[in-house]
Amino acid sequence: MRKYHALPVALLAALALTACQDGTGTQDEGAAKPQLTATANTAPTDAASDKAGDTAADTATVAKTTKATTATKAAKAKGTSAKGTKPGTAAAPAARVSCNGTNTTVTAKPVRRPINHMLITVKNTGSKACDLTYYPVLRFDEMQWVPQPIEESKPQAVTTLAPGESGYAGVALSAADGSGSGGSTGRKLTVGFQGRTPHSSGGPSAIPQLPSEGVYYDSSLTVTYWLRDMDEALS
C-alpha cells in the first residue's frame, strides 16, 4: 500500500468530540332583436334540441374520462407513497444519520493475510440507516499524526449501512519490506468518524479493544476508505 504524508495536528482535535376573464361570456348584441312568432314548422327547434343533447352527452363523457384519469393518478400516487423505498435501495439522505461511536459497535483485529494488516469492522446497531463517510481517522495511543487514506480504495458512493449491516476498513500497519520507520506498539486505538464534509466530526469516536500484546505499526501506516465488502478492504 502507498505511503502518505501526515495531516496537520489540528485534525486530531476532531477525535475528542431547504387576471382572467369574468366567465360570464356576455357580449354586446346591440338593439334587442324582435321575437320570432312560432310557426307550425318546428324543425329548427328540434335540431337545436338534438344539438344541445349531443353537447350535454359529450360534456358528460369528458367529465367521466377526466374523473377516471384523476382517480387512476391518485391511486398510483397512493401506492407509491405506501410502498416507500424499495427493498435494497438506499434510504433518502434525510432519513440517514452518520455512523459513529453511539450507534455502532466497532472491532479492530489483525489478520493473517495480507501480512501486517488489520481489519476494522463497524456494525450499525441503531434503528436508522447510517453513513460511513470517507475513511476512519485512526490514532494509536498518543500518536501525533494521522494515517493517510489509500486513494485507490475510494468507493463510487458513500457506504451506507442499514440497521444490522456492517462496513469495513483495512489498515496496513507496517511495511512488509521493513522500509517503514519509527515503529511502535500500540496499546489503545481510537477510531474517529468524519461528517458530511472532509475532516469534519461525524460524532463520538470508538475505542475498540486491541489484542493484549498490542499492535505494531510504523510510518507506513495507511487505511482504506469505508467499504461494504470485507475482502475489498483487505485487497
Side-chain angles (χ1 to χ4, degrees):
M1 293 190 175
R2 296 172 56 188
K3 177 179 177 181
Y4 293 81
H5 296 294
L7 287 181
V9 175
L11 179 57
L12 296 173
L15 296 177
L17 316 154
T18 269
C20 60
Q21 297 176 348
D22 61 7
T24 61
T26 303
Q27 296 181 350
D28 186 2
E29 300 290 348
K33 296 182 181 179
Q35 293 291 333
L36 297 178
T37 303
T39 64
N41 186 3
T42 61
T45 301
D46 293 341
S49 297
D50 291 342
K51 184 175 181 180
D54 292 341
T55 301
D58 291 342
T59 301
T61 299
V62 171
K64 183 177 181 180
T65 301
T66 301
K67 183 177 181 180
T69 301
T70 301
T72 299
K73 290 182 178 180
K76 289 182 178 180
K78 183 177 180 180
T80 300
S81 176
K83 292 179 181 179
T85 305
K86 294 181 179 179
T89 61
R96 304 199 304 259
V97 298
S98 293
C99 298
N100 55 49
T102 64
N103 55 14
T104 64
T105 56
V106 181
T107 61
K109 296 182 179 181
V111 295
R112 291 179 176 273
R113 292 286 185 274
I115 60 172
N116 302 338
H117 276 65
M118 180 173 67
L119 179 68
I120 298 177
T121 303
V122 175
K123 182 178 180 179
N124 183 357
T125 58
S127 59
K128 296 181 179 180
C130 69
D131 290 337
L132 283 170
T133 50
Y134 307 106
Y135 52 89
V137 180
L138 304 181
R139 185 184 188 189
F140 281 107
D141 301 318
E142 300 302 319
M143 188 170 67
Q144 296 300 307
W145 54 281
V146 177
Q148 293 298 287
I150 302 170
E151 291 298 332
E152 291 83 356
S153 69
K154 187 175 183 178
Q156 295 183 348
V158 172
T159 298
T160 299
L161 305 180
E165 290 185 335
S166 296
Y168 308 91
V171 182
L173 296 167
S174 59
D177 59 3
S179 60
S181 61
S184 180
T185 298
R187 304 290 180 179
K188 175 184 177 182
L189 174 64
T190 302
V191 179
F193 299 87
Q194 299 187 58
R196 302 294 178 185
T197 57
H199 313 309
S200 66
S201 175
S205 302
I207 304 178
Q209 184 176 358
L210 294 178
S212 58
E213 67 273 18
V215 174
Y216 179 82
Y217 66 93
D218 63 23
S219 61
S220 65
L221 179 66
T222 52
V223 63
T224 68
Y225 281 75
W226 291 116
L227 301 166
R228 293 188 60 85
D229 185 79
M230 179 175 61
D231 292 335
E232 186 177 359
L234 292 174
S235 62

